[in-house]
Amino acid sequence: MGKTRQIIEIVTTYYRIPLPEEMGDAKHGIHTHFELPVVKIILEDGSIGVGYTYTGGVGGRAICAMIEHDLKPFLIGKDASRVEKLWEDMNWKIHYVGRGGIASFAISAIDIALWDLRAKKADEPLWKLLGGADNSTKCYAGAIDLNFPMDKLLNNIQRYLDQGFHAVKIKLGQETLKEDIERVAAVRDLIGPDIVFMVDANMKWTIEHAVKAAKALRPFNIHWLEEPTIPDDYDGYARISAEGGLPIAAGENLHTVYEFQNMITRGNIDFPQPDASNIGGITGWLKVANLAYAHNLPVCTHGMQELHVSLMSAMPHASYLEVHSFPIDAYTTRPLVIRDGRAVAPDEPGTGVAFRWDLLEPYKADFS
């Protein structure tokens, strides 16, 4: 009898990686590092799947601890082929202490490793395995740039244009709306009328301020206003959408499909943005993508471009992939490929995310 797809070992590693420069947004403040919890799942037949999640600099050790102490013992001996079953079981195993939050990050890392195993077993790249709508997707470059002075902001946007991007995003949330509008006007003047332009307030504003800001932003042909207020105020989002007159995007701070259900039906958002790092991995991301499809909405992403490029390419209703400032793909064998303004999915079997362990090694840290 041959060896099985039974899980025999799970190895968790924690990396704390410095950013090339300090980056700031309206609610999280200044970012100096991002964290990278990585999971290797080893099967009896010798197969290895790699999954991961990331944070903005806090919580990574707790994610690793949950994987190591709660999920790993539960998964050893299970059949790795039953990906959706294991996703349900993991969610219920830690449901009482973790609906969303750190639990969703921990499950995400494991689920991505299980999908890596599934795609390698099928000998298919992830974008084909998940539907194969296209091998590329529209994308935009978005910096964490609220702390950039005007000249640096504009130089950074020009750099994106020089790299071939056809869409860009900046952060809002300065001390005054006047400052925000000045930055928006300067960027629109730089990029011209044809480049797609998004803005992101990172949850800073009250409903009243968000409505006022949306109205002030209308002349600049803004593709979407992202996270104008806290993610829990679904009715507030509906007001901003109705009264502000701009398309609204949200989702990076929603960690369950039920939150997305509320945000879509009650919040009336136009661009849902699930992140596979915190929505329960690829399985959770697909549930939100299907929810968006059922509501005739496009699906977008937040961060993790090296993985999301395959998910977005697979979807017939994909909108824009975010190319994020946390450079996870700089530590992989295949940094994101941009061609004709589109991000191109990798063609090798699996998720297409293969880490350069030599580059990560200096940033390996203890999580116990």
Side-chain angles (χ1 to χ4, degrees):
M1 188 172 177
K3 291 184 177 180
T4 70
R5 304 289 286 173
Q6 185 181 65
I7 298 171
I8 62 170
E9 181 61 292
I10 296 176
V11 179
T12 307
T13 314
Y14 167 71
Y15 302 95
R16 181 171 172 79
I17 303 172
L19 289 165
E21 61 183 340
E22 291 188 350
M23 301 175 180
D25 68 40
K27 272 295 185 185
H28 303 105
I30 299 297
H31 296 275
T32 60
H33 293 72
F34 69 95
E35 297 174 297
L36 190 70
V38 179
V39 172
K40 289 183 183 178
I41 296 180
I42 302 167
L43 308 187
E44 186 188 20
D45 68 5
S47 302
I48 299 175
V50 176
Y52 65 106
T53 183
Y54 73 97
T55 81
V58 296
R61 291 180 176 87
I63 294 165
C64 292
M66 177 165 273
I67 294 169
E68 187 70 18
H69 299 297
D70 298 311
L71 294 176
K72 175 179 174 177
F74 175 68
L75 290 167
I76 296 295
K78 299 290 199 301
D79 181 356
S81 302
R82 303 176 69 186
V83 178
E84 291 80 4
K85 165 68 171 167
L86 294 179
W87 188 87
E88 288 284 343
D89 288 351
M90 285 190 289
N91 272 283
W92 284 109
K93 177 68 177 176
I94 54 182
H95 178 269
Y96 186 60
V97 296
R99 295 180 67 249
I102 285 170
S104 286
F105 285 80
I107 291 169
S108 294
I110 290 171
D111 183 79
I112 291 166
L114 291 171
W115 275 96
D116 192 37
L117 286 162
R118 174 179 277 184
K120 287 173 179 173
K121 176 71 172 177
D123 197 30
E124 290 275 25
L126 192 60
W127 69 270
K128 281 189 179 179
L129 189 69
L130 295 181
D134 202 336
N135 72 337
S136 68
T137 182
K138 291 189 295 184
C139 63
Y140 71 92
I144 306 173
D145 54 17
L146 191 67
N147 61 317
F148 290 7
M150 183 72 84
D151 59 343
K152 184 173 182 179
L153 174 71
L154 296 177
N155 287 338
N156 195 57
I157 294 296
Q158 184 61 55
R159 181 171 63 87
Y160 291 148
L161 300 179
D162 294 343
Q163 290 172 348
F165 286 97
H166 296 171
V168 297
K169 186 178 81 179
I170 68 168
K171 300 295 190 183
L172 300 184
Q174 298 291 337
E175 288 305 308
T176 67
L177 180 56
K178 181 176 181 289
E179 291 174 90
D180 278 328
I181 297 302
E182 286 173 352
R183 289 164 75 88
V184 169
V187 171
R188 176 52 83 188
D189 185 59
L190 171 68
I191 65 179
D194 297 328
I195 297 295
V196 174
F197 187 16
M198 299 89 158
V199 294
D200 182 357
N202 282 109
M203 309 173 289
K204 181 177 182 178
W205 296 334
T206 64
I207 306 305
E208 289 72 19
H209 187 93
V211 170
K212 182 179 179 182
K215 290 177 179 178
L217 288 165
R218 284 182 196 171
F220 300 101
N221 189 20
I222 300 300
H223 192 72
W224 73 52
L225 168 60
E226 184 172 334
E227 283 201 311
T229 195
I230 60 172
D232 313 279
D233 189 356
Y234 307 120
D235 296 334
Y237 271 83
R239 269 196 63 198
I240 297 166
S241 176
E243 298 176 27
L246 283 184
I248 304 297
E252 69 187 71
N253 284 285
L254 306 180
H255 297 157
T256 70
V257 67
Y258 310 108
E259 292 172 308
F260 273 96
Q261 170 74 359
N262 277 319
M263 187 60 87
I264 289 171
T265 59
R266 289 174 55 190
N268 197 33
I269 64 168
D270 304 278
F271 295 98
Q273 300 169 304
D275 185 334
S277 77
N278 64 32
I279 193 63
I282 293 168
T283 301
W285 192 93
L286 291 171
K287 291 180 185 299
V288 176
N290 288 330
L291 178 69
Y293 185 87
H295 285 88
N296 196 28
L297 293 174
V299 66
C300 304
T301 58
H302 166 259
M304 222 181 198
Q305 58 264 19
E306 65 289 329
L307 176 71
H308 284 142
V309 63
S310 296
L311 277 61
M312 290 286 284
S313 296
M315 297 293 112
H317 61 306
S319 180
Y320 275 94
L321 167 87
E322 179 180 41
V323 181
H324 198 271
S325 291
F326 293 170
I328 298 172
D329 64 326
Y331 299 89
T332 67
T333 58
R334 183 191 184 271
L336 187 68
V337 174
I338 305 296
R339 187 177 302 143
D340 298 324
R342 295 175 66 88
V344 181
D347 273 327
E348 61 264 30
T351 63
V353 182
F355 286 107
R356 286 276 308 272
W357 306 113
D358 58 325
L359 297 181
L360 286 174
E361 185 61 29
Y363 309 116
K364 186 175 179 180
D366 181 37
F367 64 83
S368 59

